[in-house]
Amino acid sequence: QVQLVESGGGLVQAGDSLRLSCAASGSIFRRCAMGWFRQAPGKEREFVAAISWSGRKSLYADSVKGRFTISRDNAKNTLYLQMTSLKPEDTAVYYCAARPDWYSDYLEGLKYNDWGQGTQVTVSS
């Protein structure tokens, strides 16, 4: 099991940028495909972005493509989500998730085993 702790959320204005971090426990991180999800009030959790264990492959939801960038530092056991040109509709709790021992570059519809507790992002208009 991978322990995940998100940080970096906050209150920003539309058009601002924010970087989320997700710290993972132990070296198992480098064996995991990783993802970011979000859940807005009254809505279902939705996929935001994913990255392969090596960092070579990434995948984005259409709603964030071109604005958000997922990355990872396997030496620091940390996942990132750089968010730019934020919109009020990006307001949500953001969660990181891990899928251990997934070495494929295929990330579509991947199921994740472990989840963080989430960090709130609020974008005001």
Side-chain angles (χ1 to χ4, degrees), residues 75-125:
K76 296 182 178 180
N77 295 335
T78 304
L79 176 74
Y80 302 101
L81 185 68
Q82 179 68 49
M83 305 185 292
T84 64
S85 302
L86 282 161
K87 305 175 181 179
E89 51 263 45
D90 294 319
T91 294
V93 177
Y94 283 71
Y95 301 89
C96 65
R99 173 64 183 267
D101 296 319
W102 185 263
Y103 298 107
S104 170
D105 284 343
Y106 188 78
L107 301 171
E108 288 273 2
L110 188 62
K111 303 300 182 186
Y112 295 84
N113 298 60
D114 303 302
W115 296 81
Q117 84 291 346
T119 186
Q120 176 71 48
V121 173
T122 303
V123 184
S124 64
S125 57

Side-chain angles (χ1 to χ4, degrees), residues 19-123:
R19 189 177 80 158
L20 304 183
S21 298
C22 172
S25 59
S27 60
I28 188 175
F29 175 78
R30 64 197 64 184
R31 291 164 31 205
C32 297
M34 299 295 297
W36 285 101
F37 291 75
R38 67 187 182 187
Q39 187 167 20
K43 295 187 176 181
E44 293 188 353
R45 185 172 61 193
E46 65 174 358
F47 169 78
V48 174
I51 190 167
S52 62
W53 70 277
S54 64
R56 286 194 303 262
K57 176 72 174 180
S58 59
L59 182 70
Y60 296 93
D62 288 343
S63 59
V64 306
K65 202 171 293 183
R67 299 189 298 123
F68 290 11
T69 303
I70 189 171
S71 62
R72 65 190 297 160
D73 186 336
N74 284 349
K76 296 182 178 180
N77 295 335
T78 304
L79 176 74
Y80 302 101
L81 185 68
Q82 179 68 49
M83 305 185 292
T84 64
S85 302
L86 282 161
K87 305 175 181 179
E89 51 263 45
D90 294 319
T91 294
V93 177
Y94 283 71
Y95 301 89
C96 65
R99 173 64 183 267
D101 296 319
W102 185 263
Y103 298 107
S104 170
D105 284 343
Y106 188 78
L107 301 171
E108 288 273 2
L110 188 62
K111 303 300 182 186
Y112 295 84
N113 298 60
D114 303 302
W115 296 81
Q117 84 291 346
T119 186
Q120 176 71 48
V121 173
T122 303
V123 184

